[in-house]
């Protein structure tokens, strides 16, 4: 069965306070996005890799790859206005089988997690990695009042989120809605239920300068 | 106005896979719990410090302190069966004013955060530090079905949680309930509302070996 991975790299570097978008920042000498590509290649070299990047960053990315020794074959697709539009664009290059959607700035995803995600998606069609909450959680209403929520019922959602290609393509034909924070929410709005599988705490999303410090420590510990 | 901090150190090291309880593990040569004491001392040397520790660890802690150069004056109170019982025991050594309750394994709390917490508690009586969720969140029901939740309404709760002493003592007179995951939930069950103030992502709770790697990186970056 054919396998694809859409790696969404839409960052512009604003939150990082850096001029370089976060996906290009280096970890141990290698841009984050290349670490992420390597993670999928290591899990299974047969996975067809598609990266979505803001249009104005594609040339820079091509140049990055020229000098990088461990070039991994992949397609580059221009991103859209939001994450939803980027994934929708990338899906035009996907035909059949299974597709994992993954954040470009989650380079620490394990091979085990990627492969388990595809394995489960064969049967369940919509599989999302998630971890338990470590902290207590409160929900705030429009007046600023908050109430305790039972954290054991909550899961922090990660990527990869892996789907049957036909299902994901159909779901992405629904009109855009601002409540779509990830692919699971798009598929759910389309009426298909989601299966959660265990993610890993190390699979962090690098979005702030502090995350980058943590990422460097995790890389060293690998 | 008198200020106290109850620093709850109840860990037994099980989750760490180590024989030494996590609060005694070293960061940059100094046990985590001593870093935490120092954070409060740095914020305001007038804060009266009370540590709760499992009975069987108190002797070890005393010995640790003997060799540690930067001894900070504090009281040690034996912990109870749960966090609730530990805080309740510690409250017997608190008489009036304001009291912050803090996790012993959150050594990166800033002086600013501690002082702001006391400042706000003067007016609001029940003040809790919290941060926004970075990841999408799903809620799982008893059948394993999950649904997307609007993460902008959720807050991850940290410590310090700072209270008017009379209020917290009264709240801790309610019988124990397993839904009490922190002090805010005890005070809320007693019928008093909670004010949230901005916490800091760096104020992590060190509970797994991975957290310790992150903590070492954060310490280096300080």
């Amino acid at each position: 069965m054919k396998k694809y991975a859409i790696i969404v790299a839409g960052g512009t570097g604003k939150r990082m306070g850096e001029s370089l978008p976060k996906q290009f920042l280096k970890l141990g000498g290698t841009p984050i996005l290349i670490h992420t590509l390597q993670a999928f290649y290591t899990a299974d070299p047969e996975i067809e890799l598609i990266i979505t990047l803001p249009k104005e960053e594609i040339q820079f990315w091509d140049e990055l790859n020229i000098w990088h020794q461990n070039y991994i074959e992949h397609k580059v697709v221009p991103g859209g206005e939001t994450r939803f539009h980027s994934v929708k664009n990338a899906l035009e290059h996907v035909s059949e089988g299974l597709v994992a959607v993954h954040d470009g700035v989650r380079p620490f995803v394990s091979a085990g997690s990627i492969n388990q995600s595809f394995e489960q998606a064969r049967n369940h069609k919509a599989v999302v990695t998630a971890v338990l909450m470590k902290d207590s959680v409160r929900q705030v209403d429009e007046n600023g009042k908050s109430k305790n929520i039972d954290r054991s019922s909550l899961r922090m959602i990660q990527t990869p989120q892996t789907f049957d290609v036909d299902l994901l393509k159909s779901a992405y034909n629904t009109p855009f809605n601002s409540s779509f924070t990830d692919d699971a929410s798009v598929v759910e709005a389309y009426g298909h239920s989601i299966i959660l599988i265990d993610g890993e705490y190390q699979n962090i999303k690098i979005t702030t300068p502090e995350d980058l410090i943590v990422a460097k420590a995790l890389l060293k510990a690998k």
Side-chain angles (χ1 to χ4, degrees), chain A residues 4-172:
Chain A
Y4 298 85
I6 296 173
I7 296 173
V8 186
T12 55
K14 272 182 233 149
R15 266 210 272 186
M16 272 291 178
E18 306 243 5
S19 55
L20 200 64
K22 55 200 174 181
Q23 56 267 21
F24 302 135
L25 296 178
K26 286 185 188 173
L27 272 183
T30 302
I32 290 173
L33 190 50
I34 293 180
H35 282 285
T36 307
L37 273 179
Q38 281 170 340
F40 278 84
Y41 186 79
T42 305
D44 180 353
E46 297 294 310
I47 299 170
E48 252 187 59
L49 299 169
I50 302 168
I51 292 183
T52 77
L53 270 176
K55 256 197 207 102
E56 57 280 14
E57 290 173 15
I58 291 179
Q59 200 194 333
F60 180 75
W61 172 248
D62 286 342
E63 287 165 11
L64 261 185
N65 267 283
I66 285 166
W67 56 257
H68 195 271
Q69 302 178 358
N70 309 306
Y71 179 77
I72 292 168
E73 175 118 10
H74 65 277
K75 195 171 280 174
V76 177
V77 172
E81 202 183 329
T82 69
R83 191 183 188 287
F84 176 89
H85 299 97
S86 298
V87 173
K88 196 173 160 84
N89 288 353
L91 279 172
E92 288 177 21
H93 302 266
V94 168
S95 56
E96 46 157 355
L98 301 173
V99 56
V101 186
H102 187 70
D103 298 323
V105 291
R106 288 194 195 260
F108 295 114
V109 59
S110 72
S113 199
I114 292 168
N115 287 326
Q116 205 207 340
S117 187
F118 278 112
E119 200 50 54
Q120 295 288 324
R122 255 178 225 274
N123 298 320
H124 300 299
K125 294 195 171 186
V127 171
V128 168
T129 47
V131 291
L132 290 166
M133 304 281 313
K134 289 179 176 180
D135 294 306
S136 294
V137 178
R138 302 181 73 82
Q139 190 160 31
V140 181
D141 68 19
E142 58 274 19
N143 304 314
K145 295 248 178 219
S146 66
K147 66 169 202 288
N148 194 40
I149 308 194
D150 174 15
R151 75 173 154 192
S152 68
S153 72
L154 299 179
R155 300 290 179 275
M156 281 192 290
I157 300 305
Q158 301 182 329
T159 67
Q161 304 193 351
T162 307
F163 304 93
D164 174 85
V165 167
D166 290 338
L167 171 62
L168 194 63
K169 284 188 153 207
S170 305
Y172 266 90

